[in-house]
Amino acid sequence: MSRRRAAVAALVRFLALVGIYLVAAVPFRTMSLITGFTDVRPVTAIAPVYAVFFGPLGCLAVAFGNLGADAVSASLRWTSIAGFAANFLGPLLVWYYWTRLSRTPFALRTVGELFRHSLAVAAMAFLEMVIIAPAVALVYPDVDAAYFALTVFLNTSAFPVFFGIPLAILLQEELGFLPLPPRRAPSKEKEAG
Amino acid sequence: MNRLQANICLLCVTLCWSAEIILFACIPAGVPAFATTCATTFAGSALLAVSFRRRVAAALSSGGWKFPASALLLAALSTSYNTLFLVGVKSFDVASGAFTFCMTVVVLPVVLLSLRRRVAPATWISVVLVLAGICLALGPSLRRTHLPGLAIMAVGCLLRAVQIVLLADLVKKHDPIAVAVLVQGFSSVLALGGWAIQDPRLFAGLPVSRALVAAWALYAYFVVAFAQCLNVFAMRRVTAANATVVYSVEIVFSLLWGVFLPEGIVERVVLTPAVAIGALLVVAGSVAEIADFRGLRRAAEGGAP
């Protein structure tokens, strides 16, 4: 495949990922927690799934999808820039864990793997919270920063665990989606074991 | 998908189903339940049909006429027990009503035995635990006036048990995605019939708003497309008894919503000791059914798990 065709294929995939994110995100904008700032967001379940199956392209799709959802629901603010950064870097952390730090490829077949993925998701939620919450507290001092930070953490940790894990299992085990492989090969002793 | 993954998926399905009550609260007043079922099952099945059109077409062409006929039967059973539940649950408060749904676990072995199928010892243990939980939670508050409602719920649970057994059989023979699309598609048509009887104006009589479209979209994604898709794939890997016992954990989620969510969204639940212990017994019944005790014992003895 030529470089040009590969670029076109990546662009089409990116637009499809953003489109799916938007279709899933926009209806939930009616379930507001802090009007104009945060709402109940089950769509966050998609973020680590995009990260492990589509890598940085998927992470970028989450960031643009979130920005698009802010725009169409008339909640685009200066803090959306922080939201964009958080929604890119958070899933990127999950991608980094499974492809750079883990010696085994992404799978959710054992209790240990489920635990490791849940920890990666918790780290993602924490990172997103520490990026978005201070930005909102700085620009909008009237917003209850502690409550806002809590909603960000719960949104980005609970939904990716309770809905994202079953979604990833479905995609990998039944629908033939392949996660990105780890860069570090498994050790020989482990392979022999 | 292994057994652990299948049980995780079934728990997620149960969580989605328990959240139905929250989504229903977002639907504006005056929208009939049949309208919601019709629109959301249609949207959910259309979403799956478009995404997996080749698989659905292949399953339909290889399945013969018996496949859609079986899906229609499942949809009819599903519509029937949902309607019975809607009528029967009105006789109870939220907590008691939620416990009556768990009766499916109790009637399931009867259905399996009548079909001359084996019931595993673990299933009998979980039946006893779940039954004890129901009796403990319902017993003190049960009055003679509740009996008609209880009988309606029991018939609903019987139909649900039959539907689960037949669904477990069907997904093992045919493509699960095609099963989900057909069952939800037929459910949509049946709900359309019920809606037309209730209000012949159909869509013209609806108070259409952004809130209604948003609530229907959420219902179609989560309760229909996502949950049904997970459910049919998970049911391929487990027995009908296993699935039913996991579904009974819905009581725990329903009680949690009732205790923690604001009154505007759900009716508040007063957590009495009887209700709490009853819910714990239902959970214990689930653990007894799904935990692989033999595997754990083998692992403890140093063998392969």
Side-chain angles (χ1 to χ4, degrees):
Chain A
M1 196 190 281
S2 70
R3 190 175 282 184
R4 190 187 160 89
R5 284 186 73 179
V8 171
L11 182 66
V12 170
R13 178 175 287 193
F14 170 74
L15 291 175
L17 291 174
V18 173
I20 292 169
Y21 188 97
L22 273 174
V23 167
V26 172
F28 285 101
R29 290 299 165 108
T30 54
M31 297 175 92
S32 189
L33 292 171
I34 302 175
T35 310
F37 286 94
T38 190
D39 37 69
V40 180
R41 291 191 183 190
V43 71
T44 55
I46 292 179
V49 177
Y50 272 16
V52 293
F53 291 107
F54 304 102
L57 186 80
C59 303
L60 208 57
V62 173
F64 274 100
N66 188 67
L67 198 66
D70 277 351
V72 298
S73 61
S75 49
L76 203 60
R77 297 164 183 273
W78 285 112
T79 48
S80 297
I81 298 169
F84 181 86
N87 279 285
F88 175 68
L89 294 172
L92 199 70
L93 190 68
V94 177
W95 166 80
Y96 188 81
Y97 171 72
W98 280 110
T99 58
R100 299 293 189 272
L101 300 179
S102 172
R103 285 177 182 274
T104 54
F106 171 80
L108 300 170
R109 295 183 186 120
T110 62
V111 175
E113 287 167 344
L114 287 162
F115 182 69
R116 282 162 56 202
H117 184 65
S118 301
L119 278 185
V121 166
M124 172 188 92
F126 185 75
L127 178 65
E128 294 198 20
M129 183 184 75
V130 296
I131 294 173
I132 305 172
V136 168
L138 204 67
V139 181
Y140 303 100
D142 296 346
V143 175
D144 183 344
Y147 178 59
F148 178 78
L150 184 71
T151 59
V152 172
F153 184 78
L154 289 178
N155 261 330
T156 42
S157 59
F159 291 117
V161 169
F162 294 122
F163 295 124
I165 285 177
L167 178 63
I169 290 172
L170 183 71
L171 293 176
Q172 185 177 11
E173 306 292 344
E174 302 292 343
L175 299 177
F177 278 69
L178 293 173
L180 297 169
R183 185 176 274 182
R184 296 161 72 183
S187 65
K188 282 186 177 169
E189 303 91 85
K190 250 195 165 175
E191 271 182 2
Chain B
M1 196 184 286
N2 62 28
R3 196 161 170 247
L4 172 69
Q5 290 174 313
N7 281 318
I8 288 170
C9 289
L10 287 173
L11 268 178
C12 180
V13 170
T14 309
L15 181 63
C16 288
W17 287 346
S18 73
E20 257 181 285
I21 195 163
I22 301 167
L23 294 176
F24 265 119
C26 302
I27 293 170
V31 178
F34 276 127
T36 296
T37 308
C38 174
T40 56
T41 49
F42 174 78
S45 64
L47 197 67
L48 290 176
V50 170
S51 307
F52 301 99
R53 53 196 175 277
R54 284 186 196 148
R55 288 178 71 154
V56 176
L60 278 172
S61 63
S62 65
W65 66 270
K66 276 188 180 173
F67 176 37
S70 307
L72 178 60
L73 174 66
L74 289 177
L77 284 168
S78 172
T79 308
S80 307
Y81 76 67
N82 276 319
T83 310
L84 287 170
F85 285 165
L86 278 174
V87 177
V89 84
K90 283 179 185 166
S91 309
F92 302 94
D93 61 71
V94 179
S96 307
F99 272 98
T100 58
F101 286 99
C102 297
M103 286 193 296
T104 311
V105 180
V106 181
V107 295
L108 186 90
V110 180
V111 174
L112 288 172
L113 288 174
S114 66
L115 293 169
R116 295 182 182 178
R117 302 208 186 163
R118 190 178 150 268
V119 179
T123 306
W124 287 116
I125 294 169
S126 60
V127 166
V128 170
L129 287 169
V130 172
L131 187 61
I134 295 171
C135 291
L136 191 69
L138 275 182
S141 61
L142 207 63
R143 303 280 175 275
R144 190 169 284 218
T145 49
H146 289 137
L147 289 179
L150 196 65
I152 292 170
M153 294 302 286
V155 175
C157 288
L158 181 69
L159 294 182
R160 191 181 182 205
V162 173
Q163 200 258 5
I164 291 168
V165 172
L166 296 180
L167 181 64
D169 289 348
L170 198 65
V171 293
K172 285 174 183 109
K173 282 186 211 156
H174 301 280
D175 188 327
I177 287 283
V179 173
V181 169
L182 284 187
V183 172
Q184 294 309 312
F186 284 129
S187 295
S188 170
V189 175
L190 293 171
L192 181 69
W195 184 16
I197 293 167
Q198 204 176 4
D199 184 0
R201 293 174 301 158
L202 295 175
F203 282 97
L206 281 180
V208 179
S209 61
R210 274 182 66 186
L212 176 65
V213 175
W216 276 2
L218 303 182
Y219 198 100
Y221 297 157
F222 273 91
V223 180
V224 183
F226 181 56
Q228 287 299 337
C229 205
L230 277 180
N231 188 37
V232 288
F233 276 111
M235 282 190 82
R236 283 180 97 181
R237 311 292 172 196
V238 297
T239 61
N242 186 148
T244 311
V245 172
V246 179
Y247 294 155
S248 67
V249 180
E250 189 173 349
I251 176 77
V252 178
F253 296 131
S254 301
L255 291 178
L256 287 176
W257 303 141
V259 170
F260 292 110
L261 287 181
E263 198 154 7
I265 294 178
V266 292
E267 202 178 318
R268 297 289 289 186
V269 170
V270 181
L271 202 61
T272 61
V275 168
I277 296 168
L280 285 176
L281 282 169
V282 172
V283 174
S286 303
V287 173
E289 171 67 34
I290 63 179
D292 184 7
F293 290 115
R294 283 183 188 170
L296 288 174
R297 199 168 57 198
R298 276 199 299 273
E301 287 166 359

